[in-house]
């Protein structure tokens, strides 16, 4: 059975997790406003989770015969998560909304990963996407709670 699409979605995830780690780091550095003292270290936790998944996904890709993107140039060319130059003029709500948007995108990418791995019969890769999706959905709930809104999954 072919695993071409599984390798593609795993590598897309590699590029997106790399980019998202930088986006969260920017939030960590540039945030200003209410709850800074709690949210600044929370971004460190998010980055740790994202970087852990990045390694798991890349190594799974290698295990099934693929070659993960591994340069900043490749990450930035392949990712679908946008970035922008850092600035201090965003409200805390705007900052968190940018992070939340990234998690929503990744959650949908996990859904695609679950479908593709099902079609190609790779349940080990699928398990990674399921685990990641569950954790991301919990984070989405928490970020929405901080913003005073419902999760809207
Ligand atoms: Fe720091």
């Amino acid at each position: 059975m072919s695993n071409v699409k599984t390798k593609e979605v795993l590598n897309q995830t590699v590029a997106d997790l790399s980019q998202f780690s930088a986006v969260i780091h920017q939030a960590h550095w540039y945030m200003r406003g209410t709850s800074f003292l709690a949210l600044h270290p929370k971004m460190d936790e998010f980055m740790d989770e994202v970087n852990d998944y990045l390694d798991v996904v890349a190594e799974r890709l290698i295990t099934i015969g693929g070659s993960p993107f591994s340069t900043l140039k490749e990450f930035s060319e392949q990712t679908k998560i946008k970035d922008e130059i850092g600035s201090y003029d965003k409200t805390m709500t705007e900052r968190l909304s940018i992070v939340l948007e990234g998690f929503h995108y990744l959650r949908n990418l996990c859904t695609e990963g679950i479908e593709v791995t099902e079609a190609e019969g790779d349940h080990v890769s699928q398990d990674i996407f399921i685990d990641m999706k569950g954790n991301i959905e919990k984070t989405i709930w928490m970020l929405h709670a901080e913003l005073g809104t419902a999760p809207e999954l």
Side-chain angles (χ1 to χ4, degrees):
M1 192 180 281
S2 166
N3 66 359
V4 171
K5 289 200 160 81
T6 296
K7 288 195 276 196
E8 276 176 11
V9 71
L10 284 169
N11 221 356
Q12 184 62 49
T13 308
V14 167
D16 290 327
L17 288 173
S18 300
Q19 172 84 345
F20 194 41
S21 182
V23 167
I24 297 169
H25 221 155
Q26 183 183 68
H28 175 78
W29 289 327
Y30 279 83
M31 62 170 49
R32 286 180 174 174
T34 307
S35 300
F36 173 90
L37 289 175
L39 291 170
H40 178 71
K42 179 55 78 176
M43 296 303 121
D44 275 331
E45 287 177 35
F46 289 162
M47 259 186 295
D48 286 347
E49 286 172 20
V50 164
N51 288 326
D52 285 349
Y53 277 120
L54 170 61
D55 195 52
V56 167
V57 170
E59 291 180 359
R60 176 62 187 165
L61 177 56
I62 297 166
T63 301
I64 65 169
S67 308
F69 300 128
S70 58
T71 66
L72 293 176
K73 189 164 183 286
E74 286 171 298
F75 300 151
S76 103
E77 281 172 357
Q78 301 297 329
T79 187
K80 292 176 182 167
I81 295 177
K82 62 181 188 295
D83 60 8
E84 56 181 291
I85 302 293
S87 68
Y88 297 106
D89 58 7
K90 291 193 190 309
T91 64
M92 191 60 94
T93 296
E94 288 167 337
R95 261 298 148 226
L96 290 184
S97 296
I98 291 169
V99 174
L100 187 52
E101 194 181 327
F103 276 117
H104 269 290
Y105 165 79
L106 284 172
R107 185 252 185 192
N108 293 337
L109 184 63
C110 286
T111 303
E112 185 188 332
I114 290 165
E115 289 166 2
V116 164
T117 51
E118 181 66 32
E120 294 188 339
D122 183 346
H123 293 115
V124 177
S125 296
Q126 187 178 57
D127 186 59
I128 294 169
F129 283 116
I130 291 170
D131 178 67
M132 196 173 2
K133 186 177 175 184
N135 277 302
I136 288 171
E137 288 184 346
K138 185 171 180 180
T139 300
I140 288 172
W141 157 53
M142 289 186 174
L143 280 168
H144 271 288
E146 177 71 32
L147 291 166
T149 51
E152 294 165 11
L153 284 173

